[in-house]
Amino acid sequence: MENVSKYFDDGETVANYRLNLEVEEGEFLVFLGPSGCGKTTALRLIAGLEEPSEGAIYFDGQRVDRWSPSDRNVAMVFQNYALYPHMSVAENVAYPLKIQGVPPDDRDQRIEEVLRFLHIEAQASKSPAELSGGQRQRVALARAIVREPSVFLLDEPLSNLDAKLRQEMRSELKRLQDELEITTIYVTHNQEEAMSMADRVVVMNRGTIRQIAPPEELYSRPRTEWVARFIGSPPMNLLRGTRQNGSIAFGEAGSVDIGETTVGGLETVPRGDVSLGVRPEDISIATERPASTTAIAGTVDTVEPLGEYTVVNVAVGDQIVNAKVPTTSVERDDPVYLTFDDADAYLYDENGELLT
Ligand code: ATP
């Protein structure tokens, strides 16, 4: 996609703004972002269900943005996929091949393969009404891949399934994509889904791309405060402070010396307002002031034991910091010190851009 924008309602709604994106052959790319950020529109533009207002879309170097969907050889599976209720599973899967004019003998073999691949061969003669939600979803996927599209487009395909099934289908889909090596673009607002399946994640907000990166990098190197807050649960803490000589001051809570590892030398960081970002899981809580200078003083506000771990909310001046710790004996109103490794800290400038 080259500078692709899409406006609706006489230009008043900007669904996509100047998207620039290159998808690799065989890649599993995920569009991730909050509701209304333009993910579905971007997918529909790729499918040919919408025309861009500006910009160009290429498949293998060929400009396709005025091509009809059928000429693009893409397959799309939606959240509300509809199977033909009066046809059996096998007939549903056969339908796209019939339309394509594939001879019946070839058809049967391909259908058999796809049904086996998706573990629904035993359901071949059943009607959609006799299937479970997960089986129906598999039939929808089978119908989409049976004609061997060059691009596979999936729009929140798992959101109608219950949590357990969703998880199962997640690994199933990933396996499917790995084995078929089919270029796949997947839309979701579910972070876990994106992080677990994607080769690269495209983070979107308000119609624009905020960051494109492999999941690990998105987590370990969010380029803006917005992305830092969006990825991770609970989200990254961002403490507003002021950069002074060699340290960052947080009013009465004290100041923190930031080693060179964090930002490649504090001298590169402009003086003034900055935000210090630390993920809740990278923070430890001490009840005595530690010798290390990287300690922020605060008072325990609330303690939330969640079984696997405990989230402690600590008031630091007028800001709240979340710490995710294995266990803790601290209680409300206890004075505590928050510590973390320099390497786990991030600094963002006044505009929310990562400082390096
Ligand atoms: P969700 O996760 O809720 O499906 P999304 O990220 O997929 O959201 P889009 O469906 O792409 O978002 O919508 C982006 C914006 O464009 C929204 O403000 C939406 O209201 C608007 N929009 C989408 N389709 C149309 C349309 N056909 N006409 C007018 N506005 C539209």
Side-chain angles (χ1 to χ4, degrees), residues 8-9 13-16 33-42 50 155-156 187 189:
F8 287 113
D9 308 332
T13 306
V14 182
N16 288 154
S35 182
C37 73
K39 309 178 293 287
T40 296
T41 304
E50 302 282 357
D155 191 355
E156 306 250 8
V187 161
H189 62 267

Side-chain angles (χ1 to χ4, degrees), residues 76-269:
M76 192 154 168
V77 176
F78 302 91
Q79 178 178 340
N80 299 311
Y81 52 91
L83 301 176
Y84 304 111
H86 54 284
M87 291 185 193
S88 70
V89 166
E91 284 163 352
N92 262 282
V93 178
Y95 194 73
L97 296 179
K98 227 171 172 173
I99 301 280
Q100 257 184 349
V102 175
D105 285 351
D106 294 351
R107 243 190 263 164
D108 290 346
Q109 200 196 333
R110 293 245 296 264
I111 294 161
E112 212 182 292
E113 273 171 22
V114 170
L115 293 182
R116 204 170 336 115
F117 190 67
L118 281 157
H119 308 307
I120 43 171
E121 66 271 37
Q123 276 73 40
S125 55
K126 287 191 180 166
S127 81
E130 297 171 285
L131 304 179
S132 71
Q135 288 168 338
R136 249 178 257 153
Q137 181 58 283
R138 279 179 197 166
V139 178
L141 293 172
R143 197 174 57 180
I145 60 170
V146 72
R147 51 188 187 86
E148 295 168 5
S150 47
V151 185
F152 197 20
L153 305 173
L154 299 157
D155 191 355
E156 306 250 8
L158 308 184
S159 50
N160 281 350
L161 306 178
D162 65 44
K164 186 165 172 287
L165 200 51
R166 207 155 54 212
Q167 196 147 8
E168 267 171 43
M169 287 301 294
R170 217 150 76 187
S171 31
E172 191 89 335
L173 259 177
K174 182 72 188 151
R175 176 186 68 92
L176 187 81
Q177 201 271 341
D178 273 351
E179 287 179 23
L180 297 177
E181 291 178 347
I182 197 169
T183 309
T184 301
I185 307 178
Y186 187 104
V187 161
T188 184
H189 62 267
N190 182 312
Q191 213 192 101
E192 252 181 61
E193 235 168 75
M195 300 298 261
S196 64
M197 292 197 288
D199 292 320
R200 284 188 306 160
V201 181
V202 179
V203 183
M204 291 184 69
N205 188 31
R206 297 182 174 201
T208 61
I209 294 177
R210 294 303 173 101
Q211 188 164 354
I212 306 176
E216 175 51 34
E217 187 183 324
L218 211 54
Y219 177 84
S220 65
R221 219 177 150 60
R223 279 213 313 257
T224 61
E225 278 191 33
W226 191 86
V227 175
R229 277 212 188 87
F230 189 66
I231 303 291
S233 171
M236 186 187 284
N237 295 295
L238 288 152
L239 267 178
R240 289 181 314 280
T242 315
R243 137 92 158 108
Q244 295 173 336
N245 281 342
S247 66
I248 295 167
F250 301 99
E252 285 176 11
S255 66
V256 170
D257 287 345
I258 299 288
E260 295 203 348
T261 45
T262 319
V263 286
L266 250 192
E267 63 276 10
T268 60
V269 177

